[in-house]
């Protein structure tokens, strides 16, 4: 009987890109998932009936190398998440693949922190740089705060280290947030967007200050969320978006869509979510129906999100 694993996508409420450089970030698991089935194969890994392709299946290949070197698998996967869409599909795929492979090889489920850590290494290797943000929330589910020094709110889950950086992964209980998630229809590879920010930092040291600003916004955002002050949360989302614009990962289309969403009465704030360069945006609003129709008129596909969903699940 094949092993089944599934992991959720995510939205980043605050802190993308800055989290790669040691600032905090806050993310929520989405009720949209990637599901994978895995069993050992006699020779050569096969994905959805085709031989593993090193380019198309880069995350799967790396996840298997780390979790189960020198083993071959028959894999099937399906997804409710747009790929390269800014909602964490590569992280969900990495988490589900690592968890399924470890379960097959060991005969029992691996501890969550081990899955999160190998999935992070997978993303790091494929993307050239990454934070453990997406892989941690895809593993833990709910709401996850990455705290550089461990002094931020929440219950510590695990710690992930790489080079001189440490990320403390905290679970945080948040009130239910009325969010709309919209996909621009434009795919943007996380690795390319991370490289844009890295080049900017190399050529313009003042960009560091933008990252620190994002860090401050994230901490203020967490405080506002815990106080239930949605107006302030929304204003901070708008400011976070402006910082991401300054880093060069906003696009004219994302700018147009976030502006249109902000103009809908009942909206608290809007920002791109994830790597940018296309991908997705999120809107905090009491008027999900009007925000959805406004964004759809402008060509985006939008849905009201249930954020804070379940994390990794493995069976049997
Ligand atoms: O676009 P996504 O869902 O892959 O999110 C990327 C988040 C970044 O902060 C840009 C990169 C990272 O690994 O944290």
């Amino acid at each position: 009987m094949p092993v089944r694993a599934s992991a959720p996508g995510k939205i980043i409420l605050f802190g993308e890109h800055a989290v790669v450089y040691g600032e905090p970030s806050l993310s929520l698991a989405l009720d949209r998932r990637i599901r994978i089935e895995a069993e050992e194969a006699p020779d050569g890994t096969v994905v959805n009936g085709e031989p593993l392709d090193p380019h198309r299946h880069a995350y799967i290949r790396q996840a298997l190398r780390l979790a189960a070197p020198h083993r071959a698998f028959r894999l099937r996967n399906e997804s409710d998440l747009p790929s390269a869409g800014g909602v964490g599909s590569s992280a969900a795929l990495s988490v589900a693949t690592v968890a399924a492979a470890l379960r097959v090889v060991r005969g029992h489920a691996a501890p969550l922190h081990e899955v999160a850590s190998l999935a992070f290494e997978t993303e790091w290797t494929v993307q050239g740089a990454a934070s453990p943000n997406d892989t941690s929330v895809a593993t833990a589910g709910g709401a996850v705060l990455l705290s550089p020094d461990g002094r931020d709110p929440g219950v510590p889950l695990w710690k992930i280290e790489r080079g001189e950086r440490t990320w403390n992964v905290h679970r945080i209980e948040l009130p239910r947030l009325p969010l709309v998630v919209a996909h621009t229809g434009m795919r943007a590879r996380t690795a390319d967007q991370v490289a844009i920010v890295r080049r900017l930092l190399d050529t313009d040291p003042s960009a560091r200050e933008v990252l620190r600003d994002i860090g401050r916004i994230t901490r203020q955002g967490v405080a506002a969320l815990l106080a239930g002050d949605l107006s302030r949360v929304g204003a901070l989302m708008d400011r976070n978006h402006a910082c991401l614009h300054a880093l060069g990962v906003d696009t004219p289309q994302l700018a147009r869509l976030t502006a249109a969403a902000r103009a809908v009465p009942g909206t608290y704030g809007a920002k791109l979510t994830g790597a940018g360069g296309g991908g997705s945006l999120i809107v905090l609003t009491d008027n999900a129906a009007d925000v959805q129709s406004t964004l759809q008129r402008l060509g985006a596909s939008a849905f009201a999100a249930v954020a804070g969903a379940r994390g990794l699940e493995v069976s049997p």
Side-chain angles (χ1 to χ4, degrees), residues 10 12 15-20 85-91 123 127 129-134 188 190 193-194 273-276:
K10 62 90 198 47
I12 301 180
E16 50 273 89
H17 287 291
V19 68
V20 176
V87 288
S89 66
S90 59
E123 285 222 307
Q127 289 171 196
S131 77
N133 178 75
D134 291 18
T190 303
Q193 303 306 309
V194 169
T273 188

Side-chain angles (χ1 to χ4, degrees), residues 21-210:
Y21 299 95
E23 298 295 337
S25 64
L26 177 66
S27 306
L28 298 162
L30 278 179
D31 58 341
R32 300 197 166 205
R33 309 174 73 79
I34 276 183
R35 286 168 285 276
I36 191 160
E37 276 184 15
E39 55 198 329
E40 278 214 89
D43 41 39
T45 292
V46 173
V47 183
N48 296 328
E50 288 174 33
L52 183 120
D53 177 308
H55 298 293
R56 206 148 56 86
H57 304 130
Y59 289 94
I60 292 179
R61 181 170 85 137
Q62 187 57 26
L64 294 179
R65 276 189 170 170
L66 293 173
H70 316 301
R71 307 286 273 262
F73 295 87
R74 191 170 314 115
L75 301 172
R76 296 216 149 264
N77 65 349
E78 52 165 35
S79 174
D80 316 325
L81 298 163
S83 106
V87 288
S89 66
S90 59
L93 180 61
S94 303
V95 165
T97 307
V98 165
L102 289 176
R103 170 70 183 79
V104 169
V105 169
R106 293 183 184 167
H108 56 85
L112 291 184
H113 70 262
E114 186 183 5
V115 175
S117 158
L118 289 178
F120 163 58
E121 289 297 325
T122 301
E123 285 222 307
W124 180 286
T125 311
V126 176
Q127 289 171 196
S131 77
N133 178 75
D134 291 18
T135 40
S136 291
V137 71
T139 307
V144 163
L145 176 62
L146 256 61
S147 172
D149 55 13
R151 281 187 281 164
D152 292 287
V155 179
L157 291 178
W158 52 75
K159 198 185 269 212
I160 292 190
E161 289 170 344
R162 197 172 217 289
E164 80 279 18
R165 274 205 210 300
T166 300
W167 292 272
N168 296 276
V169 179
H170 291 185
R171 177 189 298 289
I172 180 160
E173 296 301 331
L174 295 182
R176 204 172 184 77
L177 295 175
L179 286 167
V180 169
V181 180
H183 185 232
T184 58
M186 231 171 98
R187 289 160 57 95
R189 288 178 57 233
T190 303
D192 297 339
Q193 303 306 309
V194 169
I196 287 173
V197 175
R198 167 151 317 274
R199 275 199 300 277
L200 179 69
L201 287 169
D202 288 345
T203 53
D204 176 6
S206 73
R208 287 262 159 211
E209 194 40 51
V210 180

Side-chain angles (χ1 to χ4, degrees), residues 258-272:
T258 45
R262 284 180 199 126
V264 174
T267 293
Y268 299 104
K271 65 182 273 293
L272 71 84

